[in-house]
Amino acid sequence: MQKTARDMILSLALIVLAAGVVWLFIPHEDGEPDIKRVDYRVDLLTARRAASYPVAAPVGLPEAWKPTSVRFRGEEADAWHLGFHAPDGEYVAVEQSAGKRSPFIEDTTQGAEKSGTTQRIDGRTWTRYEGEHYDALVLEGTEGSTTVVTGTGSFGQLATMAGALRTE
């Protein structure tokens, strides 16, 4: 009985030692992962030719704003998406669609609710939506499409993105 217990303890010690050696040789990444920048110029040109509305993209954002995702789905109500990694690590996205306004806002803001607050950004009126996961700014006064700037970023970051949007 004593020999069996001693053998188990020795086996356990050997396994822990082997696991420690393996752990030492596996590379560990400390900090934030390197997020790849995507080039969205071709997708933007394609979307601008195909969409039934003026497709928006930011102009003049600092280099610290990294574009991370882009897609245009013409078969899904001309849905345009352009996602960014903001300088402080938050996520900010531009979403546009020619589809039905309410379901589109609900989907892209992950259920955020209209707050009743509006703000003027670059001469345009945006309505604030606040949510558990995402906050958003929704452009008012557009016909034929809906433009939403949404994400985990602060309203300041969302306003920076909204102010940088151009359709030319």
Side-chain angles (χ1 to χ4, degrees), residues 42-165:
V42 171
D43 295 274
L44 178 60
L45 290 172
T46 301
R48 284 184 171 165
R49 282 189 207 122
S52 61
Y53 56 86
V55 174
V59 173
L61 281 179
E63 188 73 15
W65 287 77
K66 274 188 188 174
T68 57
S69 58
V70 61
R71 76 181 156 269
F72 176 72
R73 293 190 173 133
E75 71 282 356
E76 293 178 23
D78 290 345
W80 168 248
H81 161 85
L82 183 56
F84 282 81
H85 186 260
D88 68 349
E90 297 297 333
Y91 177 71
V92 176
V94 177
E95 307 281 355
Q96 286 184 288
S97 175
K100 293 186 178 183
R101 186 175 175 88
S102 292
F104 178 69
I105 293 170
E106 168 97 19
D107 184 47
T108 58
T109 66
Q110 295 189 10
E113 299 283 327
K114 191 175 191 175
S115 71
T117 304
T118 60
Q119 68 185 91
R120 298 280 292 167
I121 302 169
D122 201 28
R124 298 177 288 186
T125 301
W126 297 78
T127 300
R128 284 185 175 199
Y129 282 67
E130 295 177 6
E132 195 173 312
H133 303 288
Y134 282 4
D135 290 329
L137 294 172
V138 178
L139 184 59
E140 296 300 329
T142 58
E143 277 196 40
S145 69
T146 304
T147 301
V148 178
V149 176
T150 187
T152 60
S154 68
F155 277 110
Q157 290 172 316
L158 299 177
T160 296
M161 178 62 75
L165 291 180

Side-chain angles (χ1 to χ4, degrees), residues 1-25:
M1 182 79 153
Q2 283 182 331
K3 190 174 184 178
T4 305
R6 185 180 68 113
D7 288 346
M8 286 177 60
I9 291 171
L10 286 173
S11 294
L12 182 62
L14 188 61
I15 290 169
V16 168
L17 180 64
V21 169
V22 169
W23 184 82
L24 285 174
F25 289 104

